[in-house]
Amino acid sequence: MKSISLFLIGLLLVSCKPSKKEIYMNPKIVIAHRGASGYLPEHTLEAKAMAHAMNADFIEQDLVLSKDDIPIVIHDIYLDDVTDVATKFSTRKREDNRFYVIDFTFDELKTLQVTERFNPKTGEQFYPNRFPKGKGSFKLHSFQEEIELIQGLNLSTGKNIGIYPEIKEPAFHQKEGKNLTKIVLKVLADYGYKTKKDKCILQCFDAKELEKIRKELKSDLFLVQLIEFPEETKQLAHFATYADGIGPWYRQILSEKTDNKFTFTSLVSDAHKLGLKVHPYTFRADALNEFSNFNEMMQTLLIDANVDGAFSDFPDLVVNFLKDKK
Ligand code: G3P
Ligand code: CA
């Protein structure tokens, strides 16, 4: 009798134990896309602090190397659509008229003013109703500075908000003689992010690089394969050999809209069958496209299509939406 009871208790403990992939994650996670970038210039420390206060589950960092190998938190390999580099260093552009992060030292990058995203050809602000371009005083920063901000805020607030770094254009870095992945993995390890339990999700559009991170570099981090083009979704089974999730453009999930109702592609269910989480990008309350309002976008993708998370410029709206659904 005693052994049967022990067996039943053991069975209960095993069945209650969350899988390794789900140890720390809410059923649906909110990823602050470039921070609370709907409210403050993207990828500034101010936008990250705001996202933290809004209780996003994860805060995103896009990463590019400086000339002196410091990982900088910035969306592109270029500087001229979010900073005043063209005014401060007018002679430092390349033949294509672009200014590259990789051509500047960390000290030089720190002299630049960061501003709301704009078109470098026309000077026009990308999202006209967001933080006014050219106002305020914002700076670029390193990956280490951002991790210290988030870990510091986690300590002072008692929260455990994660990081969601993206290795940007590894092939470009390689052509420039740099190994972005190696540097990022070292920073992550230095700050305690080594396994799936460490509240870090590493993402990359470059499938070869992400596969290498798992299979050659033996990383045990939670890996998300970003997907840009619809044809890449055919490689789902292969992605599942090294990744824990996918990050598709949200339109790859939508099929048609008839009588104001959306139908869906098989992407989410196919991914779920393979054990992959699905975190689509990008939920923007001021760029709705086929949706009549932001609530419809959240309901359609998060609930009806049953994705596992959302990259959003407006993390507060998604956090509130999900709170109401509990
Ligand atoms: O990384 C996922 C999401 O950020 C979409 O990509 O182009 O904004 O870095 P991107
Ligand atoms: Ca990104």
Side-chain angles (χ1 to χ4, degrees), residues 300-315:
T300 302
L301 291 163
L302 281 160
I303 308 300
D304 302 343
N306 192 28
V307 302
D308 308 291
F311 284 92
S312 181
D313 295 3
F314 299 86

Side-chain angles (χ1 to χ4, degrees), residues 175-186:
K175 232 169 65 195
E176 297 283 326
K178 294 190 184 293
N179 189 335
L180 173 61
T181 295
K182 190 175 157 205
I183 292 171
V184 169
L185 289 176
K186 165 88 171 57

Side-chain angles (χ1 to χ4, degrees), residues 126-187:
F126 208 81
Y127 295 101
N129 296 322
R130 294 193 180 183
F131 198 90
K133 178 190 155 215
K135 299 289 181 189
S137 175
F138 304 100
K139 296 287 180 191
L140 291 168
H141 61 273
S142 67
F143 187 29
Q144 292 91 325
E145 287 174 298
E146 180 158 336
I147 292 176
E148 287 182 16
L149 174 80
I150 293 169
Q151 291 192 344
L153 283 170
N154 279 346
L155 258 181
S156 60
T157 62
K159 298 179 189 174
N160 185 19
I161 288 171
I163 60 171
Y164 205 130
E166 178 182 343
I167 309 233
K168 279 279 171 190
E169 306 214 29
F172 165 81
H173 282 88
Q174 223 157 21
K175 232 169 65 195
E176 297 283 326
K178 294 190 184 293
N179 189 335
L180 173 61
T181 295
K182 190 175 157 205
I183 292 171
V184 169
L185 289 176
K186 165 88 171 57
V187 172

